[in-house]
């Protein structure tokens, strides 16, 4: 499933203060899948250096948010520790992330933008499915709702703006695209992405040891399945209402 990322030179990092007890470490200025090995390496290095003083560490597209115990560490010391942790940083293995295969039922009833995107490109819906399932996607960051992973990059021809008017309700498991990213709605929520289909895979489960299925750096590939297979997997076929 793995794809070779484009080469990236070693990043030079910057540190930004975002609160009394938090710093943002910026490694890059632009989103690129090839940056993830550096983000993951920085994540590991910072966790090792801060240890029990670390309250939370949130990796994202180009940055890492470091939240530390201000009662045990001053901001000056925190900045010093960041520098020490990232000195001589080497990228993590491109195989560091886990691999996931996500079965998706692509259909207009649960993916109302499937036909719209196809019409915009002058192709049939099967071609949209082929393009969306034709590559691996990198999970860049978690956010918006628990278990929701922002993934990319989708084929450039599929890049589609967000809906002008977001829906009030998007079903859990809905698979959507926006610009050059793709994502799965982890729970029922409002949303403005273009919905192409739905999966029965549960992305967020408080009963699991690791409550979120995805982590930054994971690789995801979507696989088309039939309505019957979707139902067998426990999928909800209730149509997604139009805006």
């Amino acid at each position: 499933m793995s794809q070779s990322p484009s080469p990236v030179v070693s990043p030079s990092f910057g540190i930004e203060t975002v609160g009394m007890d938090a710093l943002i470490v910026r490694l890059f200025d632009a989103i690129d899948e090839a940056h993830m090995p550096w983000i993951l390496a920085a994540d590991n290095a910072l966790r090792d250096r801060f240890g029990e003083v670390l309250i939370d560490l949130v990796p994202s597209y180009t940055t890492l948010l470091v939240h530390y115990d201000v009662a045990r560490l001053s901001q000056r010391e925190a900045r010093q520790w960041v520098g020490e942790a990232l000195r001589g940083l080497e990228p993590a293995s491109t195989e560091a992330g886990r691999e996931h295969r996500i079965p998706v039922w692509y259909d207009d009833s649960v993916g109302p933008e499937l036909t719209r995107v196809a019409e915009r490109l002058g192709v049939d819906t099967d071609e949209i499915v082929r393009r969306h399932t034709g590559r691996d996607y990198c999970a860049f960051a978690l956010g918006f709702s628990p278990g929701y992973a922002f993934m990319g990059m989708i084929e450039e021809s599929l890049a589609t703006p967000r809906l002008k008017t977001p829906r009030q309700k998007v079903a859990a498991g809905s698979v959507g695209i926006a610009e050059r990213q793709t994502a799965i709605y982890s729970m029922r929520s409002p949303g403005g992405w273009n919905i192409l289909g739905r999966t029965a895979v549960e992305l967020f489960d408080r009963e699991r040891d690791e409550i979120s299925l995805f982590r930054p750096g994971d690789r995801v590939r979507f696989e088309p399945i039939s309505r019957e297979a979707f139902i067998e997997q426990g999928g909800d076929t209730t149509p997604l209402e139009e805006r």
Side-chain angles (χ1 to χ4, degrees):
M1 259 173 59
S2 61
Q3 293 169 256
S4 299
S6 55
V8 173
V9 297
S10 176
S12 57
F13 65 90
I15 304 174
E16 304 166 20
T17 301
V18 291
M20 291 178 58
D21 57 356
L23 300 171
I24 282 183
V25 181
R26 183 173 302 279
L27 298 188
F28 301 98
D29 294 319
I31 300 173
D32 191 316
E33 181 181 343
H35 295 164
M36 285 310 297
W38 292 99
I39 297 292
L40 295 177
D43 181 275
N44 291 332
L46 290 167
R47 289 183 188 279
D48 288 345
R49 183 63 184 91
F50 278 73
E52 295 181 356
V53 178
L54 188 68
I55 295 175
D56 197 12
L57 180 57
V58 184
S60 188
Y61 300 94
T62 59
T63 63
L64 300 99
L65 173 65
V66 183
H67 182 197
Y68 57 91
D69 186 349
V70 71
R72 301 170 62 184
L73 192 70
S74 70
Q75 187 177 106
R76 180 185 61 79
E77 290 171 321
R79 285 175 168 267
Q80 180 179 336
W81 284 19
V82 168
E84 292 171 357
L86 301 187
R87 187 176 300 125
L89 187 70
E90 294 291 335
S93 166
T94 56
E95 305 299 325
R98 300 168 302 180
E99 297 184 347
H100 305 270
R101 291 186 178 274
I102 305 297
V104 178
W105 176 39
Y106 292 89
D107 188 82
D108 284 323
S109 64
V110 293
E113 275 73 60
L114 181 60
T115 293
R116 295 180 192 174
V117 174
E119 290 175 348
R120 181 178 65 83
L121 296 182
V123 299
D124 59 24
T125 55
D126 287 344
E127 176 63 14
I128 298 301
V129 173
R130 186 192 68 77
R131 295 185 189 185
H132 189 249
T133 59
R135 61 173 61 189
D136 297 345
Y137 298 107
C138 177
F140 290 118
L142 300 181
F144 180 64
S145 62
Y148 187 106
F150 294 88
M151 298 178 278
M153 307 287 286
I154 67 172
E155 185 177 313
E156 193 167 357
S157 67
L158 282 181
T160 305
R162 288 174 172 79
L163 301 177
K164 292 182 179 179
T165 303
R167 290 186 172 87
Q168 293 300 309
K169 298 175 183 177
V170 179
S174 294
V175 178
I177 60 174
E179 305 302 339
R180 291 201 63 195
Q181 295 188 80
T182 187
I184 307 169
Y185 284 77
S186 57
M187 57 184 62
R188 186 181 182 186
S189 66
W193 289 39
N194 302 274
I195 307 303
L196 305 181
R198 191 177 295 173
T199 182
V201 174
E202 199 165 348
L203 303 186
F204 181 77
D205 183 353
R206 296 183 185 278
E207 301 303 317
R208 287 195 300 239
D209 290 339
E210 195 162 352
I211 59 177
S212 176
L213 179 64
F214 300 134
R215 295 187 305 214
D218 283 359
R219 305 200 65 78
V220 180
R221 181 178 285 262
F222 297 106
E223 298 182 330
I225 58 172
S226 66
R227 183 178 188 275
E228 291 70 27
F230 178 69
I231 293 173
E232 288 178 3
Q233 294 172 9
D236 178 4
T237 61
T238 304
L240 184 64
E241 296 181 359
E242 294 284 356
R243 290 176 288 121

